[in-house]
Amino acid sequence: MGNIYSAQNIAAYFIYELNEKGAFINSHSLQRLLAVVDMLWYKTFGHSAFKEETASFSESNYYVKDIFEAYEEFGNQHLTLPAKEWHLEYGQFQLVQRTYGVPVFTAKEALIVNSVINKICKISLKKAS
Protein backbone atom coordinates (compact mmCIF):
# COMPACT_ATOMS: atom_id res chain seq x y z
CA MET A 1 0.00 0.00 0.00
CA GLY A 2 1.41 3.35 -1.03
CA ASN A 3 1.47 6.47 1.09
CA ILE A 4 -0.66 9.52 0.40
CA TYR A 5 1.31 12.75 0.00
CA SER A 6 0.59 16.40 -0.44
CA ALA A 7 0.72 17.28 -4.13
CA GLN A 8 2.91 20.26 -3.14
CA ASN A 9 5.59 17.89 -1.86
CA ILE A 10 5.55 15.72 -4.98
CA ALA A 11 5.61 18.87 -7.12
CA ALA A 12 8.69 20.03 -5.18
CA TYR A 13 10.36 16.69 -5.91
CA PHE A 14 9.66 17.07 -9.64
CA ILE A 15 11.00 20.61 -9.72
CA TYR A 16 14.24 19.73 -7.94
CA GLU A 17 14.85 16.56 -9.95
CA LEU A 18 14.10 18.06 -13.36
CA ASN A 19 16.24 21.12 -12.63
CA GLU A 20 19.08 18.83 -11.61
CA LYS A 21 18.73 16.98 -14.94
CA GLY A 22 18.60 20.26 -16.87
CA ALA A 23 15.06 19.63 -18.09
CA PHE A 24 12.43 22.33 -18.56
CA ILE A 25 9.45 22.41 -16.21
CA ASN A 26 6.67 24.96 -15.98
CA SER A 27 3.32 25.04 -14.23
CA HIS A 28 1.52 23.32 -17.12
CA SER A 29 4.01 20.44 -17.40
CA LEU A 30 3.91 20.08 -13.62
CA GLN A 31 0.16 19.47 -13.81
CA ARG A 32 0.70 16.80 -16.47
CA LEU A 33 3.37 15.09 -14.37
CA LEU A 34 1.08 15.01 -11.35
CA ALA A 35 -1.72 13.51 -13.44
CA VAL A 36 0.56 10.72 -14.73
CA VAL A 37 1.87 9.94 -11.23
CA ASP A 38 -1.66 9.81 -9.86
CA MET A 39 -2.74 7.45 -12.66
CA LEU A 40 0.21 5.11 -11.99
CA TRP A 41 -0.44 5.33 -8.25
CA TYR A 42 -4.04 4.18 -8.80
CA LYS A 43 -2.87 1.27 -10.94
CA THR A 44 -0.24 0.20 -8.41
CA PHE A 45 -1.80 0.95 -5.03
CA GLY A 46 -5.52 1.38 -5.74
CA HIS A 47 -5.77 4.94 -4.42
CA SER A 48 -4.72 8.49 -5.21
CA ALA A 49 -1.20 9.71 -4.48
CA PHE A 50 -2.50 13.07 -3.22
CA LYS A 51 -4.36 14.39 -0.21
CA GLU A 52 -5.85 17.11 -2.38
CA GLU A 53 -8.80 16.67 -4.70
CA THR A 54 -8.00 16.23 -8.36
CA ALA A 55 -9.84 17.34 -11.48
CA SER A 56 -9.74 16.30 -15.10
CA PHE A 57 -8.21 18.36 -17.90
CA SER A 58 -11.48 18.14 -19.82
CA GLU A 59 -13.26 19.96 -16.98
CA SER A 60 -10.58 22.51 -16.09
CA ASN A 61 -7.09 23.66 -17.01
CA TYR A 62 -5.51 22.01 -13.99
CA TYR A 63 -5.25 18.62 -12.32
CA VAL A 64 -4.55 19.74 -8.74
CA LYS A 65 -6.06 23.15 -8.00
CA ASP A 66 -3.67 23.97 -5.12
CA ILE A 67 -0.68 23.47 -7.40
CA PHE A 68 -2.29 25.52 -10.15
CA GLU A 69 -2.85 28.42 -7.76
CA ALA A 70 0.63 28.20 -6.24
CA TYR A 71 2.39 28.39 -9.63
CA GLU A 72 -0.13 30.48 -11.57
CA GLU A 73 1.96 33.65 -11.22
CA PHE A 74 4.86 32.02 -13.12
CA GLY A 75 2.79 31.36 -16.24
CA ASN A 76 4.90 29.45 -18.77
CA GLN A 77 8.22 30.39 -17.17
CA HIS A 78 10.67 27.71 -16.08
CA LEU A 79 10.29 26.79 -12.39
CA THR A 80 13.60 26.82 -10.55
CA LEU A 81 12.26 26.41 -7.01
CA PRO A 82 9.12 24.94 -5.47
CA ALA A 83 6.39 27.16 -4.08
CA LYS A 84 6.77 28.47 -0.55
CA GLU A 85 4.73 27.74 2.54
CA TRP A 86 4.49 29.44 5.90
CA HIS A 87 5.89 27.33 8.74
CA LEU A 88 5.98 27.80 12.50
CA GLU A 89 8.83 25.94 14.18
CA TYR A 90 8.03 24.35 17.53
CA GLY A 91 8.93 26.78 20.31
CA GLN A 92 9.19 29.76 17.93
CA PHE A 93 6.94 32.77 17.73
CA GLN A 94 7.61 33.88 14.18
CA LEU A 95 6.34 32.33 10.97
CA VAL A 96 9.02 31.48 8.45
CA GLN A 97 8.46 31.16 4.73
CA ARG A 98 10.23 28.18 3.18
CA THR A 99 9.96 26.05 0.07
CA TYR A 100 7.93 22.86 0.25
CA GLY A 101 9.99 19.82 1.14
CA VAL A 102 10.28 16.62 -0.83
CA PRO A 103 8.70 13.43 0.47
CA VAL A 104 10.66 10.37 1.52
CA PHE A 105 9.34 7.77 -0.91
CA THR A 106 9.38 4.04 -0.36
CA ALA A 107 11.34 2.06 -2.96
CA LYS A 108 8.21 1.20 -4.94
CA GLU A 109 6.93 4.79 -4.82
CA ALA A 110 10.34 6.11 -5.92
CA LEU A 111 10.26 3.76 -8.93
CA ILE A 112 6.92 5.19 -10.02
CA VAL A 113 7.92 8.83 -9.63
CA ASN A 114 11.34 8.37 -11.20
CA SER A 115 9.87 6.45 -14.15
CA VAL A 116 7.70 9.48 -14.88
CA ILE A 117 10.73 11.78 -14.68
CA ASN A 118 12.72 9.52 -17.00
CA LYS A 119 9.88 9.42 -19.55
CA ILE A 120 9.64 13.22 -19.55
CA CYS A 121 13.40 13.58 -20.02
CA LYS A 122 13.34 11.13 -22.96
CA ILE A 123 10.45 12.99 -24.58
CA SER A 124 12.28 16.30 -24.13
CA LEU A 125 15.41 14.89 -25.74
CA LYS A 126 13.44 13.56 -28.72
CA LYS A 127 11.79 16.95 -29.25
CA ALA A 128 15.13 18.73 -29.01
CA SER A 129 16.82 16.51 -31.57
Side-chain angles (χ1 to χ4, degrees):
M1 174 150 212
N3 294 312
I4 299 174
Y5 298 100
S6 168
Q8 290 285 8
N9 298 114
I10 294 179
Y13 183 81
F14 280 136
I15 292 168
Y16 283 128
E17 288 296 311
L18 289 171
N19 274 300
E20 190 173 303
K21 293 179 182 287
F24 178 79
I25 183 166
N26 63 11
S27 59
H28 181 70
S29 59
L30 187 57
Q31 292 290 330
R32 297 281 178 194
L33 290 170
L34 293 172
V36 172
V37 164
D38 203 30
M39 179 190 66
L40 293 173
W41 218 267
Y42 265 113
K43 285 182 180 178
T44 307
F45 303 115
H47 61 80
S48 177
F50 313 124
K51 295 176 185 176
E52 297 86 354
E53 284 188 39
T54 59
S56 85
F57 289 115
S58 61
E59 298 170 0
S60 60
N61 56 349
Y62 60 84
Y63 188 72
V64 180
K65 188 176 182 183
D66 294 346
I67 302 294
F68 176 77
E69 291 170 350
Y71 295 98
E72 186 174 27
E73 67 185 270
F74 297 102
N76 286 328
Q77 295 176 4
H78 176 70
L79 302 173
T80 55
L81 286 174
K84 295 185 177 183
E85 67 175 331
W86 289 100
H87 180 72
L88 182 62
E89 297 279 337
Y90 179 76
Q92 298 293 320
F93 298 100
Q94 186 174 358
L95 285 171
V96 177
Q97 197 175 26
R98 65 178 188 185
T99 56
Y100 282 94
V102 297
V104 179
F105 295 116
T106 65
K108 197 171 194 178
E109 294 168 349
L111 282 172
I112 292 170
V113 175
N114 289 325
S115 72
V116 173
I117 289 174
N118 291 335
K119 284 179 189 174
I120 291 301
C121 288
K122 285 179 185 176
I123 290 169
S124 297
L125 286 173
K126 284 182 182 177
K127 284 184 180 180
S129 58

